[in-house]
Amino acid sequence: MVPLRGLIFLCLLHLCVQGIQGVNTAVLAKMMQYFYDNVQPKTQSQTDAQYAIAIGVPPDQCTKEGSDIQTVFPQKDAKLVKEKLSKGEKCFLCTSSKVIATRPDSKTKEHSEHILLYPPLKSPMDELLKKTDKDSCVVFFNSPCVKTCIQSEDNILAGLSNWINQRKEGINAFIFQEIWQKDKKKDLQEEFLKINAVVPLYRCKKTSNGMACRKCVENNIMDPFCLPEKK
C-alpha cells in the first residue's frame, strides 16, 4: 500500500444520477490540506501511512470558498481520529463529527477503503449516511490501487454504488492523492473512468503552491492531472 499525503474518504452522471451542485475544487483543496495537517497518521519511520476517511458535511463546506471545515470537524475531533489511526484503531463515528476512518487491517490485509464500504447496507459508510442529511456533502478520501480496488474480487465498485444509490440528490466526491507505486507505469484511464461512472472522481495533491485539486473527468475526458506523470 502506498502512503497517502492527504485524505478524505471520502466524497465523489453516468451510471448513477448525481447531485445538481458540484464540488468547488478550491474549497476541496482547503479541506484536504486540513486533513493532511491534522489527521494524516505516520508510520514508525515517520512517513505518511495509508488510510481512508469519509465525512458528511453541510453543502456549503464543499461549495463556498469562505467555509471553514473546523466549524464542523474541529481540531480536537481531528486529533482524536489521528490518535486512533496512529494506534491502528478504527474510527466509526468516534467523535461528534460525522466521520469514519481506518487504516488497512494488518491481520486480514483488507484495504482501508474496502473496510469503510463493506458489506453494503451494513457498512461503516451506511452508518455514516444514516446520520447525514440528504442534501449534505459526503466526501471519501483514499488512494485507489487499481489491481485490488477495481480489478479484483474485492473491488470497491459495489460499495461505491451502494453509497450513491442512497444519495442521488446529494453532493458526493471520491478523492485520491497518491497513485500506488506499482500502478505508476500503467494506463489507468479506463479504470479511473469506472470509478467516475459511479461517483465523481477528484485528485488532490501537494504542489509547490500548496494543495491543488481537480475534477478528473469532464465529458468522459480524463484530466492528465489525475494520471501518472509520463517519464
Side-chain angles (χ1 to χ4, degrees):
M1 299 294 293
V2 69
L4 293 183
R5 291 177 171 82
L7 173 58
I8 256 192
F9 187 116
L10 160 199
C11 296
L12 296 174
L13 162 96
H14 299 294
L15 300 181
C16 297
V17 178
Q18 300 297 324
I20 296 174
Q21 281 185 298
V23 172
N24 183 323
T25 53
V27 175
L28 198 61
K30 289 171 57 181
M31 187 188 296
M32 291 302 100
Q33 185 67 57
Y34 180 78
F35 276 96
Y36 181 74
D37 292 340
N38 297 281
V39 179
Q40 174 68 59
K42 302 291 184 179
T43 65
Q44 290 184 342
S45 60
Q46 290 302 300
T47 57
D48 294 344
Q50 198 277 339
Y51 78 114
I53 185 171
I55 188 169
V57 295
D60 286 359
Q61 291 291 331
C62 292
T63 59
K64 292 189 177 180
E65 294 196 26
S67 62
D68 183 355
I69 186 63
Q70 293 188 64
T71 61
V72 293
F73 186 45
Q75 288 194 5
K76 65 179 181 65
D77 286 3
K79 180 181 179 181
L80 176 59
V81 175
K82 182 176 181 177
E83 288 175 349
K84 282 185 168 292
L85 294 177
S86 297
K87 295 176 183 178
E89 299 175 0
K90 299 175 175 61
C91 170
F92 294 164
L93 301 171
C94 64
T95 71
S96 58
S97 309
K98 298 180 178 68
V99 173
I100 54 175
T102 186
R103 290 175 64 183
D105 191 306
S106 60
K107 294 181 179 179
T108 66
K109 307 303 180 184
E110 184 179 9
H111 288 216
S112 56
E113 69 284 357
H114 199 273
I115 293 171
L116 294 186
L117 292 169
Y118 284 79
L121 301 180
K122 297 181 179 181
S123 68
M125 176 62 97
D126 289 298
E127 293 304 309
L128 173 67
L129 296 180
K130 288 177 183 178
K131 297 181 177 296
T132 305
D133 295 337
K134 292 295 184 180
D135 62 348
S136 63
C137 177
V138 173
V139 179
F140 187 101
F141 177 89
N142 188 64
S143 187
C145 45
V146 171
K147 183 177 180 181
T148 300
C149 300
I150 307 299
Q151 296 177 349
S152 75
E153 293 182 357
D154 293 327
N155 75 75
I156 62 173
L157 294 178
L160 293 177
S161 294
N162 175 62
W163 160 19
I164 296 304
N165 286 340
Q166 298 181 61
R167 285 188 43 82
K168 294 179 180 179
E169 304 301 322
I171 307 171
N172 306 285
F174 187 101
I175 305 155
F176 74 100
Q177 183 167 340
E178 302 297 334
I179 294 174
W180 191 36
Q181 57 186 2
K182 293 184 179 180
D183 284 339
K184 288 185 176 180
K185 295 183 179 181
K186 297 179 181 179
D187 182 359
L188 304 181
Q189 179 167 307
E190 181 179 350
E191 306 304 333
F192 283 173
L193 286 171
K194 290 178 182 178
I195 295 176
N196 191 76
V198 181
V199 57
L201 179 65
Y202 296 80
R203 185 180 188 184
C204 294
K205 61 180 179 179
K206 295 184 72 65
T207 69
S208 58
N209 295 320
M211 191 71 71
C213 299
R214 292 189 194 176
K215 192 173 188 299
C216 290
V217 183
E218 292 285 0
N219 299 318
N220 213 37
I221 297 175
M222 195 84 189
D223 188 334
F225 179 85
C226 298
L227 297 171
E229 295 181 7
K230 294 183 178 180
K231 301 296 184 178

